[in-house]
Amino acid sequence: MALELRHLRYLLAVAEHANFTRAAEALHVSQPTLSQQVRQLERTLKVQLLDRTGRTVRLTDAGAAYAHYARSALRDLEAAERAVLDVRDLSRGTLRLATTPTFTAYLVGPLAGEFHTRHPGISLTLREMPQELMESALLADELDLGIAFSGPHLPGVTGTELFTESLSLVVGPTHPYAGRTAPLPIRSLRDHRLALLSADFATRLHIDTHFGEHGVRPDIAVEANSITTLTELLRRTPLATVLPDAITREQPGLHPVALSPALPARTVALLYRETAYRSAASGAFARLAREWGREHGDGPGPEHGERSGQG
């Protein structure tokens, strides 16, 4: 029997679902057909790939070893298909992009909008996720590019630095610090109630680390997993928050207040898998992101700032 791609897909589906019936439903084939095809694969390889004796089906040691290479082979073939379909003039194609949550408030809309204006034939898929999940998705070839922060990254993920992002205390129009120009000593925050992003955001960890280094334990009145919620709260209450300056610039009625010592700036990076096929669409988006960073970021990243490992 000649080995065919469907045999790899069938085996991996059974391994994923640990059940022939559920795997057959996911593949839209009959259960007897699925069982027969996996048996044929085992006969061809002359080894048992699945342990069928328990309540669930699982890979044998040989099956686990084979499945590792099967997954890699399918990823490479799918990348090859995308390469064949890639059109260098950008008249058509696809781009799979993910960002960490903070960037949906000020970066993704302008970038995605301009990219669509320039290349309307490119189908763009946008996802929002934490950086650790994004890097895993890049390695699994589930994404082409990610917008997050410079490293360290997972082995196999690298990036191009785009710009630096600075953060400040932010207050609304009724807050006593509205219009303040002098930096505020960070220890003064002990006397003010804050509304902060939840721990789902990498920004929150960045804030907490800085506060902890300077002995500040703020009185947190509100935690929110939405930047829009925080900005609306500031307009209606005397609470303060900490946000990237790029967000505050786009929000009328909000006032940034510099802290002393200031929160360390972070470097925003465009992430990708080191060995991934770089499509024309990926290249076009990377150029657009660098343009945006030079024009709108708080500071430029290196002109050709690609770093391996550290992003």
Side-chain angles (χ1 to χ4, degrees):
M1 182 199 76
L3 185 63
E4 298 182 17
L5 288 180
R6 71 170 182 273
H7 295 110
L8 304 184
R9 294 191 173 99
Y10 287 179
L11 174 68
L12 294 178
V14 175
E16 177 184 354
H17 293 279
N19 181 279
F20 275 93
T21 301
R22 288 195 293 272
E25 291 172 351
L27 293 166
H28 304 291
V29 300
S30 69
Q31 192 271 338
T33 296
L34 177 60
S35 297
Q36 180 188 41
Q37 293 293 313
V38 174
R39 289 285 189 190
Q40 286 181 353
L41 176 61
E42 290 177 318
R43 285 196 293 271
T44 299
L45 297 174
K46 298 182 174 59
V47 67
Q48 182 177 344
L49 301 173
L50 295 171
D51 181 355
R52 302 165 174 83
T53 60
R55 298 186 63 180
T56 59
V57 181
R58 63 181 183 85
L59 292 167
T60 63
D61 290 343
Y66 188 80
H68 170 77
Y69 290 100
R71 292 188 186 96
S72 179
L74 287 177
R75 281 197 298 267
D76 289 343
L77 286 170
E78 289 167 358
E81 290 175 1
R82 290 197 301 276
V84 170
L85 295 173
D86 183 28
V87 178
R88 307 310 298 182
D89 64 5
L90 294 165
S91 62
R92 60 184 173 87
T94 61
L95 180 64
R96 302 166 300 169
L97 174 69
T99 71
T100 54
T102 304
F103 297 121
T104 59
Y106 73 91
L107 181 60
V108 177
L111 279 180
E114 180 62 23
F115 186 77
H116 176 73
T117 298
R118 295 185 187 185
H119 312 294
I122 302 297
S123 176
L124 180 62
T125 301
L126 290 170
R127 299 171 63 186
E128 180 183 292
M129 62 181 66
Q131 182 160 342
E132 60 270 19
L133 296 183
M134 179 192 302
E135 295 190 12
S136 297
L138 286 168
L139 292 173
D141 195 34
E142 297 169 358
L143 296 171
D144 299 307
L145 297 171
I147 301 176
F149 296 102
S150 287
H153 304 301
L154 294 178
V157 173
T158 189
T160 299
E161 295 181 350
L162 298 176
F163 59 93
T164 57
E165 179 188 77
S166 56
L167 298 95
S168 300
L169 186 74
V170 183
V171 299
T174 63
H175 196 280
Y177 290 155
R180 180 186 175 106
T181 57
L184 178 73
I186 194 170
R187 292 183 182 273
S188 299
L189 293 182
R190 295 170 176 169
D191 303 323
H192 297 276
R193 306 197 77 194
L194 300 184
L196 294 179
L197 292 168
S198 65
D200 300 335
F201 288 75
T203 299
R204 175 61 185 276
L205 176 60
H206 189 66
I207 294 167
D208 287 348
T209 299
H210 187 66
F211 285 176
E213 289 173 351
H214 295 282
V216 175
R217 297 186 63 183
D219 181 2
I220 301 174
V222 177
E223 289 186 300
N225 63 357
S226 164
I227 290 174
T228 300
T229 299
L230 288 183
T231 56
E232 289 302 311
L233 273 173
L234 297 191
R235 291 189 176 94
R236 292 168 170 79
T237 71
L239 296 172
T241 190
V242 178
L243 290 174
D245 292 340
I247 295 176
T248 310
R249 287 195 292 267
E250 301 297 324
Q251 298 285 340
L254 300 187
H255 303 269
V257 178
L259 291 173
S260 178
L263 279 96
R266 298 181 294 178
T267 300
V268 179
L270 191 67
L271 305 185
Y272 52 90
R273 180 165 55 94
E274 288 179 341
T275 58
Y277 167 71
R278 304 296 297 277
S279 70
S282 294
F285 189 89
R287 289 190 294 273
L288 174 61
R290 288 194 294 269
E291 288 175 18
W292 194 98
R294 287 192 293 269
E295 295 175 6
H296 302 282
D298 294 325
E303 182 71 19
H304 301 288
E306 296 190 4
R307 295 181 179 177
S308 175
Q310 295 299 311

